[in-house]
């Protein structure tokens, strides 16, 4: 008996901790792709009739085989998913991976590897050009900004059942990211006294 796919989501809420994990993973493996698991829960809002994926944790696969244009997830992935679920009670919602020196658009291989209604977050990471504050483009559905010496563009997708349009870009909301660089976000480290 096959498992029924979860209901589709139209919006992703990315918490502070998974955002930091995804950014750090992308920087750590820069020039090669990174890959990891997204954990959280699905939510239905009766008020605005929106299905959301709330991402509370992200886990980078340590044993992945990486190259500039692909990443192979280890066989031990299912062990990790089961163990993390038992420890946290969050469900696996999908995956994240990076596209170094590229765009956050899914490749044919990305689309084929996605499960129906799972969330896929793609992070394009490039060497910084000009400084750009973190922002979310409502039209393009891209969360972008600069941190350190890197520029990031982050998009969320879900795979549909449609053969005409097998993938759909969905809203990605991360209030923490939008605060980076603001006057209220202290990025200075004070020396010990």
């Amino acid at each position: 008996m096959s498992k029924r796919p979860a209901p589709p989501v139209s919006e992703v809420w990315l918490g502070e901790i998974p955002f930091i994990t995804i950014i750090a993973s992308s920087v750590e493996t820069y020039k090669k792709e990174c890959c990891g698991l997204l954990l959280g829960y699905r939510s239905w809002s009766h008020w605005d009739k929106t299905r959301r994926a709330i991402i509370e944790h992200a886990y980078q696969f340590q044993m992945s085989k990486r190259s500039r244009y692909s990443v192979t997830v280890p066989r031990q992935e299912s062990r990790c998913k089961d163990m993390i679920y038992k420890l946290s009670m969050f469900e696996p919602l999908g995956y994240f991976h990076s596209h170094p020196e590229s765009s956050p658009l899914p490749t044919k291989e990305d689309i084929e590897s996605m499960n129906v209604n799972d969330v896929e977050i793609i992070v394009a990471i490039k060497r910084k050009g000009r400084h750009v504050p973190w922002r979310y483009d409502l039209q393009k559905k891209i969360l972008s900004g600069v941190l350190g010496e890197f520029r990031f563009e982050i998009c969320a997708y879900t795979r549909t059942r449609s053969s005409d349009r097998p993938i759909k870009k969905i809203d990605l909301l991360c209030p923490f990211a939008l605060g980076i660089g603001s006057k209220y976000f202290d990025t200075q480290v004070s020396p010990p006294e």
Side-chain angles (χ1 to χ4, degrees), residues 104-147:
L105 298 173
T107 64
K108 181 181 173 194
E109 291 79 16
D110 292 339
I111 295 168
E112 289 171 355
S113 69
M114 289 175 66
N115 295 320
V116 172
N117 297 339
D118 272 4
V119 173
E120 183 79 19
I121 292 180
I122 301 178
V123 181
I125 177 172
K126 301 175 184 176
R127 286 285 177 188
K128 174 172 85 170
R130 68 183 204 281
H131 179 76
V132 179
W134 280 86
R135 68 187 189 94
Y136 183 71
D137 186 319
L138 287 169
Q139 297 296 325
K140 296 180 182 177
K141 297 184 179 186
I142 295 177
L143 177 64
S144 62
V146 170
L147 197 56

Side-chain angles (χ1 to χ4, degrees), residues 6 8 10 13 22 29 34 74 79-80 82 109 127 129-130 159:
S10 58
W13 285 63
I22 292 167
T29 62
C34 71
R79 265 196 318 216
C80 292
D82 292 343
E109 291 79 16
R127 286 285 177 188
R130 68 183 204 281
R159 179 141 187 202

Side-chain angles (χ1 to χ4, degrees), residues 144-156:
S144 62
V146 170
L147 197 56
E149 59 189 85
F150 297 101
R151 175 169 167 69
F152 300 89
E153 291 182 328
I154 308 171
C155 294

Side-chain angles (χ1 to χ4, degrees), residues 2-179:
S2 65
K3 184 182 165 194
R4 277 184 55 206
V9 296
S10 58
E11 195 172 88
V12 173
W13 285 63
L14 184 62
E16 175 183 350
I17 300 301
F19 173 80
I20 292 169
T21 301
I22 292 167
I23 293 296
S25 299
S26 301
V27 169
E28 178 189 6
T29 62
Y30 178 66
K31 296 278 185 179
K32 294 185 178 181
E33 287 194 9
C34 71
C35 181
L37 182 63
L38 300 171
L39 298 151
Y41 55 94
R42 293 171 194 271
S43 170
W44 165 252
S45 169
H46 294 284
W47 179 70
D48 63 2
K49 307 293 188 237
T50 302
R51 285 195 192 278
R52 293 182 178 92
I54 313 294
I55 299 172
E56 297 280 356
H57 293 283
Y59 170 79
Q60 179 185 355
F61 293 121
Q62 306 295 316
M63 306 278 294
S64 300
K65 290 187 171 89
R66 298 174 173 88
S67 76
R68 185 174 181 125
Y69 303 107
S70 68
V71 62
T72 304
V73 177
R75 287 192 331 254
Q76 296 87 343
E77 172 219 4
S78 63
R79 265 196 318 216
C80 292
K81 282 168 79 171
D82 292 343
M83 186 237 3
I84 291 170
Y85 177 73
K86 288 174 183 169
L87 286 171
S88 70
M89 296 306 290
F90 290 120
E91 68 175 294
L93 297 174
Y95 299 91
F96 71 88
H97 74 278
S98 63
H99 283 180
E101 297 297 330
S102 189
S103 73
L105 298 173
T107 64
K108 181 181 173 194
E109 291 79 16
D110 292 339
I111 295 168
E112 289 171 355
S113 69
M114 289 175 66
N115 295 320
V116 172
N117 297 339
D118 272 4
V119 173
E120 183 79 19
I121 292 180
I122 301 178
V123 181
I125 177 172
K126 301 175 184 176
R127 286 285 177 188
K128 174 172 85 170
R130 68 183 204 281
H131 179 76
V132 179
W134 280 86
R135 68 187 189 94
Y136 183 71
D137 186 319
L138 287 169
Q139 297 296 325
K140 296 180 182 177
K141 297 184 179 186
I142 295 177
L143 177 64
S144 62
V146 170
L147 197 56
E149 59 189 85
F150 297 101
R151 175 169 167 69
F152 300 89
E153 291 182 328
I154 308 171
C155 294
Y157 299 91
T158 189
R159 179 141 187 202
T160 67
R161 296 178 192 272
S162 168
S163 57
D164 298 337
R165 219 174 119 209
I167 193 145
K168 178 182 170 191
K169 190 185 270 190
I170 54 180
D171 288 321
L172 175 63
L173 308 171
C174 183
F176 175 77
L178 298 179

